[in-house]
Coordinates of all heavy atoms in Angstrom, one line a residue:
M957 N 84.4 100.2 89.8 CA 84.2 101.2 90.8 C 84.7 102.5 90.4 O 85.8 102.6 89.8 CB 84.8 100.8 92.1 CG 84.6 101.7 93.3 SD 85.7 101.2 94.7 CE 85.0 102.4 95.9
K958 N 84.0 103.6 90.7 CA 84.5 105.0 90.3 C 85.7 105.3 91.1 O 85.9 104.8 92.3 CB 83.4 105.9 90.7 CG 83.5 107.3 90.1 CD 82.3 108.2 90.4 CE 82.7 109.6 90.2 NZ 82.3 110.5 91.2
K959 N 86.7 106.0 90.5 CA 87.9 106.4 91.2 C 87.6 107.3 92.4 O 86.7 108.1 92.3 CB 88.9 107.1 90.3 CG 89.7 106.2 89.5 CD 90.8 107.0 88.8 CE 91.7 106.0 88.0 NZ 93.0 106.7 87.7
M960 N 88.4 107.1 93.5 CA 88.3 108.0 94.6 C 89.0 109.3 94.2 O 89.8 109.3 93.3 CB 89.1 107.4 95.8 CG 88.5 106.1 96.3 SD 89.6 105.5 97.7 CE 89.7 103.8 97.2
T961 N 88.7 110.4 94.9 CA 89.3 111.6 94.7 C 90.2 112.0 95.9 O 89.7 112.0 97.0 CB 88.3 112.7 94.4 OG1 87.5 112.4 93.3 CG2 89.0 114.1 94.2
L962 N 91.5 112.1 95.7 CA 92.4 112.4 96.8 C 93.0 113.8 96.5 O 93.7 114.0 95.5 CB 93.5 111.4 96.8 CG 94.5 111.6 97.9 CD1 93.9 111.4 99.3 CD2 95.6 110.5 97.8
E963 N 92.6 114.8 97.3 CA 93.1 116.2 97.2 C 94.1 116.4 98.3 O 93.8 116.3 99.4 CB 91.9 117.2 97.4 CG 90.8 117.1 96.4 CD 89.7 118.0 96.8 OE1 89.7 119.2 96.6 OE2 88.7 117.4 97.4
I964 N 95.3 116.7 97.8 CA 96.4 117.0 98.7 C 96.6 118.5 98.8 O 96.9 119.1 97.8 CB 97.7 116.3 98.3 CG1 97.5 114.8 98.2 CG2 98.9 116.6 99.2 CD1 98.6 114.0 97.6
C965 N 96.4 119.0 100.0 CA 96.6 120.5 100.1 C 98.0 120.9 100.0 O 98.9 120.3 100.6 CB 96.1 120.9 101.5 SG 96.2 122.7 101.7
C966 N 98.3 121.8 99.1 CA 99.6 122.3 98.9 C 99.7 123.8 99.2 O 100.6 124.5 98.7 CB 100.0 122.0 97.4 SG 100.3 120.3 97.1
G967 N 98.9 124.2 100.1 CA 99.0 125.6 100.7 C 100.3 125.6 101.5 O 100.8 124.5 101.9
T968 N 100.7 126.7 101.9 CA 102.0 126.8 102.6 C 102.1 126.0 103.9 O 103.0 125.2 104.1 CB 102.3 128.3 103.0 OG1 102.2 129.1 101.8 CG2 103.7 128.5 103.6
A969 N 101.1 126.1 104.8 CA 101.1 125.4 106.0 C 101.2 123.9 105.8 O 102.0 123.2 106.4 CB 99.9 125.7 106.9
C970 N 100.4 123.4 105.0 CA 100.4 121.9 104.7 C 101.6 121.5 104.0 O 102.2 120.4 104.3 CB 99.1 121.6 103.9 SG 97.6 121.7 104.8
Y971 N 102.0 122.3 103.1 CA 103.2 121.9 102.3 C 104.5 121.7 103.2 O 105.1 120.7 103.1 CB 103.5 122.9 101.2 CG 104.5 122.5 100.2 CD1 104.1 121.7 99.1 CD2 105.8 122.8 100.3 CE1 105.0 121.2 98.2 CE2 106.8 122.4 99.3 CZ 106.3 121.6 98.3 OH 107.3 121.1 97.4
V972 N 104.7 122.7 104.0 CA 105.9 122.6 104.9 C 105.8 121.6 106.0 O 106.8 121.1 106.5 CB 106.3 124.0 105.5 CG1 106.6 125.0 104.4 CG2 105.3 124.5 106.4
L973 N 104.5 121.2 106.3 CA 104.3 120.2 107.4 C 104.2 118.8 106.8 O 103.8 117.9 107.6 CB 103.2 120.6 108.3 CG 103.4 121.8 109.2 CD1 102.2 122.3 109.9 CD2 104.5 121.5 110.2
G974 N 104.5 118.6 105.6 CA 104.5 117.2 105.1 C 103.8 116.9 103.8 O 104.0 115.9 103.2
A975 N 103.0 117.9 103.3 CA 102.2 117.6 102.1 C 103.2 117.4 100.9 O 102.9 116.6 100.0 CB 101.2 118.7 101.7
N976 N 104.3 118.0 101.0 CA 105.3 117.8 99.9 C 105.7 116.4 99.7 O 105.9 115.9 98.6 CB 106.5 118.7 100.1 CG 107.2 118.5 101.5 OD1 106.5 118.1 102.4 ND2 108.5 118.6 101.5
R977 N 105.7 115.7 100.9 CA 106.1 114.2 100.8 C 105.0 113.4 100.3 O 105.2 112.2 100.0 CB 106.6 113.7 102.1 CG 107.9 114.4 102.6 CD 108.5 113.7 103.8 NE 107.6 113.8 104.9 CZ 107.6 114.8 105.8 NH1 108.4 115.8 105.6 NH2 106.8 114.8 106.8
L978 N 103.7 113.9 100.3 CA 102.6 113.1 99.9 C 102.3 113.2 98.4 O 101.5 112.4 97.9 CB 101.3 113.6 100.7 CG 101.4 113.4 102.2 CD1 100.1 114.0 102.8 CD2 101.5 111.9 102.6
L979 N 103.0 114.1 97.7 CA 102.6 114.4 96.3 C 103.0 113.2 95.5 O 102.4 112.9 94.4 CB 103.3 115.6 95.8 CG 102.7 116.9 96.4 CD1 103.6 118.1 96.0 CD2 101.3 117.1 95.9
N980 N 104.0 112.4 95.9 CA 104.3 111.2 95.1 C 103.7 109.9 95.7 O 104.2 108.8 95.6 CB 105.8 111.0 95.1 CG 106.5 112.1 94.2 OD1 105.9 112.5 93.2 ND2 107.7 112.5 94.7
I981 N 102.6 110.1 96.4 CA 102.0 109.0 97.2 C 101.7 107.7 96.3 O 101.7 106.6 96.7 CB 100.8 109.4 97.9 CG1 100.4 108.4 99.0 CG2 99.6 109.8 97.0 CD1 99.4 108.9 100.0
E982 N 101.3 108.0 95.0 CA 101.0 106.9 94.2 C 102.1 105.9 94.1 O 101.9 104.7 94.0 CB 100.7 107.4 92.7 CG 100.3 106.4 91.7 CD 98.8 106.1 91.6 OE1 98.1 107.1 91.7 OE2 98.4 105.0 91.4
N983 N 103.4 106.3 94.1 CA 104.5 105.4 94.1 C 104.7 104.6 95.3 O 105.3 103.5 95.2 CB 105.8 106.2 93.9 CG 105.8 107.0 92.6 OD1 105.1 106.7 91.6 ND2 106.5 108.2 92.6
E984 N 104.1 105.0 96.4 CA 104.2 104.2 97.7 C 103.0 103.3 97.9 O 103.0 102.6 98.9 CB 104.4 105.2 98.9 CG 105.6 106.1 98.8 CD 105.5 107.1 99.9 OE1 105.0 106.8 101.0 OE2 105.9 108.3 99.7
M985 N 102.0 103.5 97.1 CA 100.8 102.8 97.4 C 100.9 101.3 97.3 O 101.6 100.7 96.4 CB 99.7 103.2 96.4 CG 99.0 104.4 96.8 SD 97.6 104.8 95.7 CE 97.2 106.4 96.3
P986 N 100.2 100.6 98.3 CA 100.2 99.1 98.1 C 99.5 98.8 96.8 O 98.7 99.6 96.3 CB 99.3 98.7 99.3 CG 99.3 99.8 100.2 CD 99.5 101.1 99.4
I987 N 99.9 97.7 96.2 CA 99.4 97.4 94.8 C 97.9 97.4 94.7 O 97.4 97.8 93.7 CB 100.1 96.0 94.4 CG1 99.9 95.8 92.9 CG2 99.4 94.8 95.1 CD1 101.0 96.5 92.1
E988 N 97.2 97.0 95.7 CA 95.7 96.9 95.6 C 95.1 98.3 95.6 O 93.9 98.4 95.2 CB 95.1 96.1 96.8 CG 95.2 96.7 98.2 CD 96.5 96.3 98.9 OE1 97.5 96.0 98.3 OE2 96.5 96.4 100.2
L989 N 95.9 99.4 95.9 CA 95.3 100.7 95.9 C 95.7 101.5 94.6 O 95.1 102.5 94.3 CB 95.7 101.5 97.1 CG 95.2 100.9 98.5 CD1 95.8 101.8 99.6 CD2 93.7 100.9 98.5
R990 N 96.7 101.0 94.0 CA 97.2 101.8 92.8 C 96.2 101.9 91.7 O 95.5 101.0 91.4 CB 98.4 101.1 92.2 CG 99.6 101.2 93.1 CD 100.9 101.2 92.4 NE 101.9 101.2 93.5 CZ 103.0 100.5 93.5 NH1 103.3 99.7 92.4 NH2 103.9 100.5 94.4
G991 N 96.1 103.2 91.2 CA 95.1 103.4 90.1 C 93.7 103.6 90.6 O 92.8 103.8 89.8
K992 N 93.5 103.5 91.9 CA 92.1 103.6 92.5 C 91.7 105.1 92.8 O 90.6 105.3 93.1 CB 92.0 102.8 93.7 CG 92.3 101.3 93.5 CD 91.0 100.6 93.0 CE 91.0 99.1 93.1 NZ 91.7 98.4 92.1
A993 N 92.7 106.0 92.8 CA 92.4 107.4 93.2 C 92.9 108.3 92.2 O 94.0 108.1 91.6 CB 93.0 107.7 94.6
E994 N 92.1 109.3 91.9 CA 92.6 110.5 91.1 C 93.2 111.4 92.1 O 92.6 111.9 93.1 CB 91.4 111.1 90.4 CG 91.9 112.3 89.5 CD 90.7 113.0 88.9 OE1 89.5 112.4 89.0 OE2 90.9 114.1 88.4
I995 N 94.5 111.7 92.0 CA 95.3 112.5 92.9 C 95.4 113.9 92.4 O 95.9 114.1 91.3 CB 96.6 111.9 93.2 CG1 96.4 110.4 93.8 CG2 97.5 112.7 94.2 CD1 97.7 109.6 93.9
K996 N 95.0 114.9 93.2 CA 95.1 116.3 92.8 C 95.9 117.1 93.9 O 95.6 116.9 95.0 CB 93.7 116.9 92.7 CG 92.8 116.3 91.7 CD 91.4 117.0 91.8 CE 90.4 116.3 91.0 NZ 89.1 116.9 91.2
A997 N 96.7 118.0 93.4 CA 97.3 118.9 94.3 C 96.4 120.1 94.4 O 95.9 120.6 93.4 CB 98.7 119.4 93.8
S998 N 96.0 120.5 95.6 CA 95.0 121.6 95.8 C 95.6 122.8 96.4 O 96.5 122.7 97.3 CB 93.9 121.0 96.7 OG 93.0 122.0 97.1
P999 N 95.1 124.0 96.1 CA 95.5 125.1 96.9 C 94.9 125.0 98.2 O 94.1 124.1 98.5 CB 94.9 126.3 96.1 CG 93.9 125.7 95.1 CD 94.2 124.3 95.0
C1000 N 95.3 125.9 99.2 CA 94.8 125.8 100.6 C 93.3 125.4 100.6 O 92.5 126.1 100.0 CB 95.0 127.2 101.3 SG 94.4 127.2 103.0
L1001 N 93.0 124.4 101.4 CA 91.7 123.9 101.5 C 90.9 124.7 102.5 O 89.7 124.4 102.8 CB 91.7 122.4 101.9 CG 92.3 121.4 100.9 CD1 92.5 120.0 101.5 CD2 91.3 121.3 99.7
G1002 N 91.5 125.6 103.2 CA 90.8 126.5 104.1 C 90.7 125.9 105.5 O 89.9 126.3 106.3
L1003 N 91.4 124.8 105.7 CA 91.3 124.0 107.0 C 92.3 124.4 108.0 O 92.2 124.2 109.2 CB 91.4 122.5 106.7 CG 90.3 122.0 105.8 CD1 90.6 120.6 105.3 CD2 88.9 122.0 106.4
C1004 N 93.4 125.0 107.6 CA 94.5 125.3 108.5 C 94.1 126.4 109.4 O 94.8 126.6 110.4 CB 95.8 125.7 107.7 SG 95.5 127.0 106.4
Y1005 N 93.0 127.1 109.2 CA 92.6 128.2 110.1 C 91.6 127.7 111.2 O 91.3 128.4 112.1 CB 91.9 129.3 109.3 CG 92.7 129.9 108.2 CD1 92.5 129.5 106.9 CD2 93.8 130.7 108.5 CE1 93.3 130.0 105.9 CE2 94.6 131.3 107.5 CZ 94.4 130.9 106.2 OH 95.2 131.4 105.2
K1006 N 91.2 126.4 111.1 CA 90.2 125.9 112.0 C 90.9 125.3 113.2 O 91.5 124.2 113.1 CB 89.4 124.8 111.3 CG 88.6 125.4 110.1 CD 87.5 124.5 109.6 CE 86.7 125.3 108.6 NZ 85.5 124.7 108.2
K1007 N 90.7 125.9 114.3 CA 91.4 125.5 115.6 C 90.9 124.2 116.1 O 91.6 123.5 116.8 CB 91.2 126.5 116.6 CG 91.9 127.8 116.3 CD 92.1 128.7 117.6 CE 92.8 130.0 117.4 NZ 93.4 130.3 116.2
E1008 N 89.7 123.8 115.7 CA 89.1 122.5 116.2 C 89.7 121.3 115.5 O 89.5 120.2 116.0 CB 87.6 122.5 116.1 CG 87.0 122.4 114.7 CD 86.8 123.8 114.1 OE1 87.5 124.8 114.5 OE2 86.0 123.9 113.1
L1009 N 90.4 121.5 114.4 CA 91.1 120.4 113.7 C 92.5 120.2 114.3 O 93.0 121.1 114.9 CB 91.1 120.6 112.2 CG 89.7 120.8 111.6 CD1 89.9 121.1 110.1 CD2 88.9 119.5 111.8
K1010 N 93.0 119.0 114.1 CA 94.3 118.6 114.7 C 95.5 119.2 114.1 O 96.5 119.4 114.7 CB 94.4 117.1 114.7 CG 93.5 116.4 115.7 CD 93.7 114.9 115.7 CE 92.7 114.2 116.6 NZ 92.7 112.8 116.3
G1011 N 95.4 119.5 112.8 CA 96.6 120.1 112.2 C 97.0 119.6 110.8 O 96.5 118.6 110.4
A1012 N 97.8 120.4 110.2 CA 98.3 120.1 108.8 C 99.3 119.0 108.9 O 99.8 118.7 109.9 CB 98.9 121.4 108.3
P1013 N 99.5 118.3 107.8 CA 98.9 118.6 106.5 C 97.5 118.0 106.4 O 97.2 117.0 107.0 CB 99.9 117.9 105.5 CG 100.5 116.8 106.3 CD 100.6 117.3 107.7
Y1014 N 96.7 118.6 105.6 CA 95.3 118.2 105.4 C 95.2 117.6 104.0 O 95.8 118.1 103.0 CB 94.3 119.3 105.5 CG 94.2 119.9 106.9 CD1 94.8 121.1 107.3 CD2 93.5 119.1 107.9 CE1 94.7 121.5 108.6 CE2 93.4 119.6 109.2 CZ 94.0 120.8 109.5 OH 94.0 121.3 110.8
V1015 N 94.3 116.6 103.9 CA 94.0 115.9 102.7 C 92.5 115.6 102.7 O 92.0 115.5 103.8 CB 94.8 114.6 102.6 CG1 94.3 113.6 101.6 CG2 96.3 114.8 102.4
K1016 N 91.9 115.6 101.5 CA 90.5 115.2 101.4 C 90.4 114.0 100.6 O 91.0 114.0 99.4 CB 89.7 116.3 100.9 CG 89.3 117.4 101.8 CD 88.3 118.4 101.2 CE 87.8 119.4 102.2 NZ 86.9 120.4 101.6
L1017 N 89.8 113.0 101.1 CA 89.5 111.8 100.3 C 88.0 111.7 100.1 O 87.3 111.5 101.1 CB 90.1 110.6 101.1 CG 89.9 109.2 100.4 CD1 90.6 109.1 99.1 CD2 90.3 108.1 101.4
N1018 N 87.6 111.8 98.9 CA 86.2 111.8 98.5 C 85.5 112.9 99.4 O 84.4 112.6 99.9 CB 85.5 110.5 98.7 CG 85.8 109.6 97.5 OD1 86.5 109.9 96.6 ND2 85.3 108.4 97.6
G1019 N 86.1 114.0 99.7 CA 85.5 115.0 100.5 C 85.7 114.9 102.0 O 85.4 115.8 102.7
M1020 N 86.2 113.7 102.5 CA 86.4 113.6 103.9 C 87.8 114.1 104.3 O 88.7 113.7 103.6 CB 86.3 112.1 104.3 CG 84.9 111.5 104.1 SD 84.8 109.8 104.5 CE 86.0 109.1 103.4
I1021 N 87.8 114.8 105.4 CA 89.0 115.4 105.8 C 89.9 114.4 106.5 O 89.4 113.7 107.4 CB 88.7 116.6 106.7 CG1 87.9 117.7 106.0 CG2 90.0 117.2 107.3 CD1 87.3 118.7 107.0
I1022 N 91.2 114.4 106.2 CA 92.2 113.6 107.0 C 93.1 114.7 107.5 O 93.8 115.4 106.8 CB 92.9 112.6 106.1 CG1 91.9 111.6 105.4 CG2 93.9 111.8 106.9 CD1 92.5 110.6 104.5
E1023 N 93.2 114.7 108.9 CA 94.1 115.6 109.5 C 95.4 115.0 109.8 O 95.5 113.8 109.9 CB 93.5 116.0 110.9 CG 92.1 116.5 110.8 CD 91.3 116.4 112.2 OE1 91.2 115.3 112.7 OE2 90.9 117.4 112.7
Q1024 N 96.4 115.8 109.9 CA 97.8 115.3 110.1 C 98.1 114.1 109.2 O 98.5 113.1 109.7 CB 98.0 115.0 111.6 CG 97.9 116.2 112.5 CD 98.1 115.9 114.0 OE1 97.7 114.8 114.5 NE2 98.7 116.8 114.7
A1025 N 97.8 114.3 108.0 CA 97.8 113.2 107.0 C 99.2 112.7 106.8 O 100.2 113.4 106.7 CB 97.3 113.7 105.7
T1026 N 99.2 111.3 106.8 CA 100.4 110.6 106.5 C 100.0 109.6 105.4 O 98.8 109.3 105.2 CB 101.0 109.8 107.7 OG1 100.0 108.9 108.1 CG2 101.4 110.7 108.8
A1027 N 101.0 109.1 104.7 CA 100.7 108.1 103.7 C 99.9 106.9 104.3 O 98.9 106.4 103.7 CB 102.0 107.6 103.0
E1028 N 100.3 106.5 105.5 CA 99.7 105.3 106.1 C 98.2 105.6 106.4 O 97.4 104.8 106.2 CB 100.5 105.0 107.4 CG 101.8 104.4 107.2 CD 102.9 105.4 106.7 OE1 102.7 106.6 107.0 OE2 103.8 105.0 106.0
K1029 N 98.0 106.8 107.0 CA 96.6 107.2 107.3 C 95.7 107.2 106.0 O 94.6 106.7 106.0 CB 96.5 108.6 107.9 CG 96.6 108.6 109.3 CD 96.3 110.1 109.8 CE 96.7 110.3 111.2 NZ 96.4 111.7 111.7
I1030 N 96.3 107.7 104.9 CA 95.5 107.8 103.7 C 95.3 106.4 103.1 O 94.2 106.1 102.7 CB 96.3 108.6 102.6 CG1 96.4 110.1 103.1 CG2 95.7 108.5 101.3 CD1 97.4 110.9 102.3
F1031 N 96.2 105.5 103.2 CA 96.0 104.1 102.7 C 95.0 103.4 103.5 O 94.1 102.7 103.0 CB 97.3 103.3 102.8 CG 98.5 103.9 102.0 CD1 99.8 103.6 102.3 CD2 98.2 104.6 100.9 CE1 100.8 104.1 101.6 CE2 99.3 105.2 100.1 CZ 100.6 104.9 100.5
E1032 N 95.0 103.6 104.9 CA 93.9 103.0 105.7 C 92.5 103.5 105.3 O 91.6 102.6 105.1 CB 94.2 103.4 107.2 CG 95.2 102.7 107.9 CD 95.0 101.2 107.9 OE1 93.9 100.8 108.3 OE2 95.9 100.4 107.5
R1033 N 92.4 104.8 105.1 CA 91.1 105.3 104.7 C 90.7 104.8 103.3 O 89.5 104.5 103.1 CB 91.1 106.8 104.7 CG 91.3 107.4 106.0 CD 90.0 107.4 106.9 NE 90.3 108.0 108.2 CZ 90.2 109.3 108.4 NH1 89.8 110.1 107.5 NH2 90.4 109.7 109.6
M1034 N 91.6 104.7 102.4 CA 91.3 104.2 101.1 C 90.8 102.7 101.1 O 89.9 102.4 100.5 CB 92.5 104.3 100.2 CG 92.9 105.7 99.8 SD 94.4 105.8 98.7 CE 93.7 105.1 97.2
K1035 N 91.5 102.0 102.0 CA 91.1 100.6 102.1 C 89.7 100.5 102.7 O 88.9 99.6 102.3 CB 92.1 99.8 103.0 CG 93.4 99.5 102.3 CD 94.4 98.8 103.3 CE 95.7 98.7 102.7 NZ 96.8 98.3 103.6
E1036 N 89.4 101.3 103.7 CA 88.0 101.3 104.3 C 87.0 101.6 103.2 O 85.9 101.0 103.2 CB 88.0 102.4 105.4 CG 88.7 101.9 106.7 CD 88.8 103.1 107.7 OE1 88.2 104.1 107.5 OE2 89.7 102.9 108.6
L1037 N 87.3 102.6 102.4 CA 86.3 103.0 101.3 C 86.2 101.8 100.3 O 85.1 101.6 99.9 CB 86.8 104.2 100.6 CG 86.5 105.6 101.2 CD1 87.1 106.7 100.3 CD2 85.0 105.8 101.5
L1038 N 87.2 101.2 100.0 CA 87.1 100.1 99.0 C 86.3 98.9 99.6 O 85.6 98.3 98.8 CB 88.5 99.5 98.7 CG 89.3 100.2 97.7 CD1 90.7 99.6 97.5 CD2 88.6 100.3 96.3
E1039 N 86.4 98.7 100.9 CA 85.7 97.6 101.5 C 84.2 98.0 101.9 O 83.4 97.1 102.1 CB 86.4 97.2 102.8 CG 87.7 96.5 102.6 CD 88.6 96.5 103.8 OE1 88.2 96.8 104.9 OE2 89.8 96.0 103.6
S1040 N 83.9 99.3 101.8 CA 82.5 99.7 102.2 C 81.5 99.5 101.1 O 81.9 99.4 99.9 CB 82.5 101.1 102.8 OG 82.9 102.0 101.8
Ligands
FES1397 S1 97.4 125.3 103.8 FE1 96.4 123.4 103.9 S2 94.4 123.8 104.6 FE2 95.4 125.8 104.4

């Protein structure tokens, strides 16, 4: 299977609201998810200005937006993608 792409926004808003803690996410991943994603630190994804979204930090997994991203949310979405 092709690797997933995980873009972690490191713009100011996302960084101070938790993206800094997501940068080492590979180390926290459950064993079944390790090595399954190419992890990239991204400049502002342009989502922090959108009032209809729930809030930073933002992450994109294969282009899908995860709002108020936490490691647990990201792992859930990765598992869903692996199973689909
Ligand atoms: S700082 Fe993350 S979307 Fe703008």
